[in-house]
Amino acid sequence: MMVKHRVGIIGSGFIGKGLVKALNLFDDMDVVKVMTRTVLGGRSDFPYPHLLTNSIEDCIEHSDVIVECTGDVLFGTEMIAKVMDAGIPVVTMNTELQVTTGSYFAGKGFITEAEGDQPGCIAALRENVLQMGFEPLVYGNIKGFLNPTPSFEDMLYWSKRNKISLEMVTSFTDGTKVEFEQTLIANAFQTKLLPSGITGIISEDLRDGANALAIEAERLGSPISDYVLSSKAPAGVFITAKHLDTDGQRDALHYMKLGEGPYYTLIMPFHLCHLEVMKTIRRVVEKKEILLNNTCTPSYSMGAVAKKRIAAGTTIKRGIGSFEVRGKALRIEDVPNHIPIGLLEQATIIKPMEEGEMLTFADVDIPDSLAYRAWMKTREQRLIPHGL
């Protein structure tokens, strides 16, 4: 008899809706509950409204594994804490949460990011290239467009056109999302960022840009996490690597269209969001394997940089995808007092901030939350061994 894996979902937005539809195509998957904060009777857009619940306890009671895909750091943190208290493994499609509070959970129970978003796709590609004898130098993302200070009108237009939230489309456009993704990769695989940070090298030809990053990685003496900004490249991910058998495989790799070397760029030309999540669910329920997470002791975090001058007394309703701040990757030891952008929710600026200035805890008054306490514990564990 086929075992049906009981899957609970936290989040009923774009990813949650798509995931329910995708999982219902497979006989070994049974979506039991979808936890939502919306009014249950008002979701005519949701494909299976009978699955909706406002109770996380209801979701926990019926699930063998739970997927968190709210895109909300503070709320997601509260929900995952309850799931972990029940001993249920957690799959996230929430890079922002992973980088902000994922390390707190990595020390408490089973948590993994899923395939489908770029970090999970890079992790899956990494497994593939390592098994073929490649030695990664660049764990890369592909970005087609970037505007650090997009206008409200433009973002509203693209939000409506693509049917995703205003915050999401703004985070994608201003660079916050891609820097979150590459920060997670850097922590997960203990790679480095270049001294100048995540560079986002501009190159119409993906391989040219990837090779330039590989040269920088060799100068640094470590694999790096970064991205190429190219309007002509596919919306996917790549790894640029050397091969362990440098001389013996050179002719074969050339014949197989990977170029002359010494750097070879292997591309996954897509990331299919919720359609790929079931691969990670199966990994979890069948093999109990983690694809990637932020680790217990991350080296990198995501700070918040002012997009414009911000007056004292301004309330930032939500930092990620806002028009006040954007995310910027940083080394925790370099800026130990930074406030992670993922914690900026209903936060009040208490002194004027200039455009380009990074926010610290001294600049902002934020409400208490589990996410705040989780970050402070992670920060303490990271800094104390270094005497900071």
Side-chain angles (χ1 to χ4, degrees), residues 96 99-100 143 146-150 167-168 170-183 193 196-199 227 300-308 310 316 318-331 338-344 356-359:
E96 295 85 351
V99 172
T100 310
K143 183 78 174 163
L146 187 68
N147 179 1
T149 55
E167 291 83 6
M168 285 177 66
T170 305
S171 174
F172 298 163
T173 302
D174 70 11
T176 297
K177 180 69 170 175
V178 69
E179 295 226 2
F180 259 115
E181 290 163 350
Q182 296 313 110
T183 298
L193 305 184
S196 57
I198 295 175
T199 61
Y227 70 97
Y300 299 97
S301 177
M302 279 289 290
V305 174
K307 289 182 175 180
K308 59 184 180 181
I310 309 174
I316 298 178
R318 185 178 179 188
I320 299 170
S322 74
F323 294 91
E324 291 86 14
V325 295
R326 60 181 172 84
K328 183 64 180 173
L330 55 85
R331 200 165 73 113
H338 78 279
I339 183 166
I341 189 172
L343 296 182
L344 290 177
E357 193 174 357
M358 181 165 288
L359 279 64

Side-chain angles (χ1 to χ4, degrees), residues 15-215:
I15 297 296
K17 286 192 290 186
L19 183 56
V20 171
K21 293 177 183 178
L23 289 173
N24 277 330
L25 296 174
F26 298 95
D27 293 337
D28 62 332
M29 299 288 177
D30 187 14
V31 181
V32 289
K33 293 290 178 180
V34 179
M35 196 269 172
T36 182
R37 287 175 284 180
T38 57
V39 177
L40 297 185
R43 289 300 303 271
S44 59
D45 66 306
F46 200 82
Y48 303 99
H50 66 282
L51 296 177
L52 293 172
T53 178
N54 292 139
S55 168
I56 185 60
E57 289 76 18
D58 190 20
C59 194
I60 289 170
E61 181 182 352
H62 295 90
S63 302
D64 301 317
V65 59
I66 289 181
V67 180
E68 194 284 328
C69 55
T70 63
D72 187 317
V73 173
L74 269 63
F75 178 75
T77 296
E78 296 279 355
M79 296 302 101
I80 290 174
K82 294 183 179 183
V83 175
M84 283 204 164
D85 285 345
I88 296 175
V90 176
V91 175
T92 63
M93 183 165 276
N94 193 340
T95 300
E96 295 85 351
L97 182 146
Q98 280 280 353
V99 172
T100 310
T101 61
S103 294
Y104 170 78
F105 290 121
K108 295 175 71 68
F110 188 104
I111 184 169
T112 181
E113 182 75 349
E115 287 186 62
D117 228 352
Q118 285 91 333
C121 291
I122 292 173
L125 181 58
R126 174 180 179 268
E127 290 182 344
N128 196 6
V129 302
L130 289 175
Q131 290 182 72
M132 292 188 289
F134 289 96
E135 183 179 17
L137 288 170
V138 182
Y139 292 96
N141 209 324
I142 303 170
K143 183 78 174 163
F145 177 76
L146 187 68
N147 179 1
T149 55
S151 71
F152 173 80
E153 292 75 18
D154 282 351
M155 294 300 91
L156 187 61
Y157 168 80
W158 288 107
S159 172
K160 291 179 178 178
R161 173 173 170 170
N162 293 333
K163 297 181 180 179
I164 59 175
S165 73
L166 180 64
E167 291 83 6
M168 285 177 66
V169 74
T170 305
S171 174
F172 298 163
T173 302
D174 70 11
T176 297
K177 180 69 170 175
V178 69
E179 295 226 2
F180 259 115
E181 290 163 350
Q182 296 313 110
T183 298
L184 176 54
I185 288 295
N187 287 332
F189 301 124
Q190 298 181 337
T191 69
K192 292 185 178 180
L193 305 184
L194 292 171
S196 57
I198 295 175
T199 61
I201 189 169
I202 301 172
S203 176
E204 288 300 297
D205 186 276
L206 174 61
R207 284 186 170 83
D208 287 347
N211 285 347
L213 289 173
I215 291 169

Side-chain angles (χ1 to χ4, degrees), residues 208-270:
D208 287 347
N211 285 347
L213 289 173
I215 291 169
E216 292 302 312
E218 292 222 276
R219 286 176 181 164
L220 188 63
S222 168
I224 63 172
S225 176
D226 216 305
Y227 70 97
V228 172
L229 185 62
S230 172
S231 61
K232 295 182 179 180
V237 299
F238 69 92
I239 289 176
T240 299
K242 285 187 167 182
H243 199 276
L244 294 175
D245 187 5
T246 303
D247 295 324
Q249 298 297 332
R250 187 187 303 273
D251 290 343
L253 290 170
H254 179 261
Y255 171 74
M256 292 182 283
K257 312 301 182 185
L258 283 185
E260 299 289 344
Y263 307 126
Y264 302 101
T265 294
L266 295 95
I267 304 166
M268 182 180 290
F270 57 83

